[in-house]
Amino acid sequence: MLLVILWLLQDLLTVFIGGGMQIPGLFMLGLVYKLLVDEGSEDSLWAIWSAFAGGVLWDLRWIGIPGFFTLGYVAVVMIVIQVWGLIPPQGRISGMKLLVFVLMEISQLLPPLLPVLILGGSAGWSFFLTQQGYSLPAIIFCMYIYLRRVKNIRNSVPTPPHVLIGSSAGDSR
Amino acid sequence: MENTRNTAREWVHGLTALILGLFLLGISSGLGVIKNIVDLWGAVLFVPEYPAVVLRDIYIGWRSWSRNIAGMNDEVVRLRNENAKLRLDLARLASEKIYTSSDQTPRTAKVTLRAPMSWWSEIRIDRGEQDKITQGLPVFSNGYLVGRVSNVSAMSSWAELITSSSFMIPAVIEETRELGVVAGDGSGAVYMRYIPAGRAIRKGMKVSTAMIGEQLPPGLPIGQITGEYTIGSDGYATYKIEPGADLSGFFTVSY
């Protein structure tokens, strides 16, 4: 539900701005955030197909050719799943700020980059760079929410972190 | 073992999604049906997007309106300045017209009497009706207004001085176009009264007769603001004026 709301919000903001500025990829930020805090699920297939669906719908609405953002969205989810999977659960809440930031940044970097690389053109690069500038505050805000959540988990129960993460993520789902 | 199986499943699904995406990208550009789907999806989204469209239109309208207002303000300032300049030019023309009305050079008259009891109120000059002196005619010293003819006889005339307490004429500060009334105090000082307090009136600004007075033509130079002023309880300021003419020691006037 959160992802649907974020997708719609991103769409409404794009409609409202009407091309004056590029809207951050709120849908992908939400998806990556959910992946990072969702430690309790057996697999992340929901994220892959959510990204696919979100990408296809975005392409149909704003690009006209499905595939551009779809590929980027799915690629981002695959990268996040694989990289985050390499980190042991105990280490995911201790000192992973930089990695979390990089993963969130990738979610904003990769999807708009693919159309630019495929289609080319200076206007496309200008579009891309502008969007990166506008995305940064959204990433920082998302980081803030993530770090606050981690801090709350640490402070709530004095048990090993990986146990905490598992239970809290289960609640969130 | 379970973890490995999950990872493999994720890879399978991920690669499937990627291939599907590539497939869509490859075939969709040549398919007309995609356009129909795009149109259909756009129509579906029209409903949830409607508030954003309305808000955007309101925002665009507001921005356009505020830009127009800013442009109109600039235009008003420009027109106001232009108007002030035109008024000045008109006043100067009127002033020149006075000198050129009868002949090309201003005529002069000698001051024949300046009684100590009415030193700051009136003078007598040696020109009268025979010299085309009329009541209300302005008289000048050193090019500045010193008074106006108040009484005319055949051979001489009396002129009331601007320092007289009964002398009141509408005047204007040329730089700001503020209107007021120039009046004397009967003791040698001249003031400009009834200027709204808080206006940017500065020392050295020129004061001349205003167009609204029918008794005197506009644009006749009187003097300049000294910088001394008082603000009355009615919210109006009174500025002291330094007359352009030396009112304590002039022996001739021009008219």
Side-chain angles (χ1 to χ4, degrees), chain A residues 63-86:
Chain A
I63 308 294
I65 304 171
F68 281 109
F69 276 79
T70 312
L71 285 173
Y73 284 8
V74 174
V76 166
V77 168
M78 289 301 290
I79 289 169
V80 172
I81 289 170
Q82 296 311 314
V83 172
W84 201 237
L86 293 174

Side-chain angles (χ1 to χ4, degrees), chain A residues 72-145:
Chain A
Y73 284 8
V74 174
V76 166
V77 168
M78 289 301 290
I79 289 169
V80 172
I81 289 170
Q82 296 311 314
V83 172
W84 201 237
L86 293 174
I87 313 295
Q90 296 92 329
R92 289 181 186 173
I93 62 166
S94 55
M96 283 294 135
K97 291 173 193 170
L98 181 64
L99 181 63
V100 169
F101 178 81
V102 169
L103 291 176
M104 286 182 178
E105 179 57 44
I106 285 174
S107 77
Q108 301 300 298
L109 193 77
L110 203 55
L113 184 62
L114 283 178
V116 176
L117 287 176
I118 294 170
L119 299 174
S122 58
W125 282 107
S126 169
F127 178 98
F128 171 73
L129 291 173
T130 312
Q131 189 183 38
Q132 292 310 300
Y134 287 124
S135 296
L136 205 57
I139 293 171
I140 291 169
F141 179 70
C142 208
M143 277 290 293
Y144 167 74
I145 295 174

Side-chain angles (χ1 to χ4, degrees), chain A residues 7-8 11-18 41-45 48-49 52 56-68 70-72 74-75 78 81-82 118, chain B residues 2-3 6-7 9-22 24-26 28-29 34-35 37-39 41-42 45 48-53 55-56 59:
Chain A
W7 192 97
L8 266 176
D11 180 59
L12 294 182
L13 284 173
T14 308
V15 170
F16 177 71
I17 297 303
S41 58
E42 291 180 1
D43 53 44
S44 303
L45 301 185
I48 294 169
W49 292 110
F52 181 84
V56 168
L57 293 177
W58 191 257
D59 285 330
L60 285 174
R61 177 64 184 90
W62 292 105
I63 308 294
I65 304 171
F68 281 109
T70 312
L71 285 173
V74 174
M78 289 301 290
I81 289 170
Q82 296 311 314
I118 294 170
Chain B
E2 180 69 24
N3 194 28
N6 284 343
T7 307
R9 217 159 52 158
E10 283 168 357
W11 271 110
V12 170
H13 279 262
L15 288 174
T16 307
L18 282 174
I19 291 165
L20 211 56
L22 276 171
L24 281 172
L25 191 61
S28 57
S29 56
I34 293 296
K35 281 187 180 174
I37 296 172
V38 168
D39 291 343
W41 183 230
L45 283 175
E49 284 175 359
Y50 186 72
V53 173
L55 276 176
R56 185 188 62 192
Y59 171 71

Side-chain angles (χ1 to χ4, degrees), chain B residues 75-96 172-177 208-211 218-219:
Chain B
E75 185 70 5
V76 165
V77 170
R78 191 186 68 77
L79 287 172
R80 194 178 286 164
N81 291 336
E82 188 180 310
N83 196 29
K85 187 177 173 299
L86 288 171
R87 279 171 180 270
L88 272 176
D89 290 344
L90 197 62
R92 284 197 191 99
L93 282 173
S95 183
E96 285 169 12
V172 64
I173 297 170
E174 291 186 358
E175 285 81 355
T176 63
R177 307 309 299 169
S208 60
T209 53
M211 280 188 80

